[in-house]
């Protein structure tokens, strides 16, 4: 590193999307978790996007989008379907808490 730079370290609150002020932060976080599980499954099973397509019937382009975190075209239920077709079952636990007011 050239010179000394002051770098501020900020501890996140558990949801990076909320930390960044995203409107649908909880949905974005959930989709990111599902995409991570899909990628982990592809890596564990050593599946290329083409092999994943052959196994699941889901387009290779969709697997490529998931690998590149391009999740805008996906709903949470679509990502769950992908995981199911890869042989996983998804269990969701919901915890609802009051939002902290921004006062």
């Amino acid at each position: 590193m050239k010179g000394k730079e002051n770098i501020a370290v900020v501890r996140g609150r558990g949801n990076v999307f909320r930390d960044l002020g995203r409107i649908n932060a909880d949905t974005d976080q959930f989709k990111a978790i599902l995409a991570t599980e899909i990628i982990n499954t592809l890596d564990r099973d050593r599946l290329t996007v083409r092999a994943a397509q052959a196994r699941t019937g889901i387009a290779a382009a969709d697997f490529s989008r998931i690998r590149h975190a391009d999740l805008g075209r996906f709903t949470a239920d679509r990502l769950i379907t992908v995981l199911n077709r890869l042989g996983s079952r998804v269990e969701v636990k919901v915890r609802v808490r009051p939002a902290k007011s921004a006062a």
Side-chain angles (χ1 to χ4, degrees), residues 48-54 56-66:
T48 64
V49 295
R50 296 276 182 218
Q53 176 182 353
T56 65
I58 294 168
D62 284 345
F63 285 105
S64 182
R65 286 184 188 98
I66 292 167

Side-chain angles (χ1 to χ4, degrees), residues 25-62:
D26 294 329
T27 302
D28 291 342
Q29 177 81 355
F30 184 47
K31 287 169 44 174
I33 291 166
L34 293 170
T36 299
E37 290 301 322
I38 292 167
I39 294 165
N40 288 343
T41 300
L42 296 177
D43 291 346
R44 183 188 66 238
D45 295 349
R46 296 186 176 148
L47 292 173
T48 64
V49 295
R50 296 276 182 218
Q53 176 182 353
R55 182 187 285 188
T56 65
I58 294 168
D62 284 345

Side-chain angles (χ1 to χ4, degrees), residues 34 37 41 44 79-92:
L34 293 170
E37 290 301 322
T41 300
R44 183 188 66 238
L79 293 169
I80 290 170
T81 298
V82 172
L83 275 166
N84 288 340
R85 291 209 189 156
L86 286 169
S88 296
R89 295 295 167 253
V90 177
E91 179 180 316
V92 178

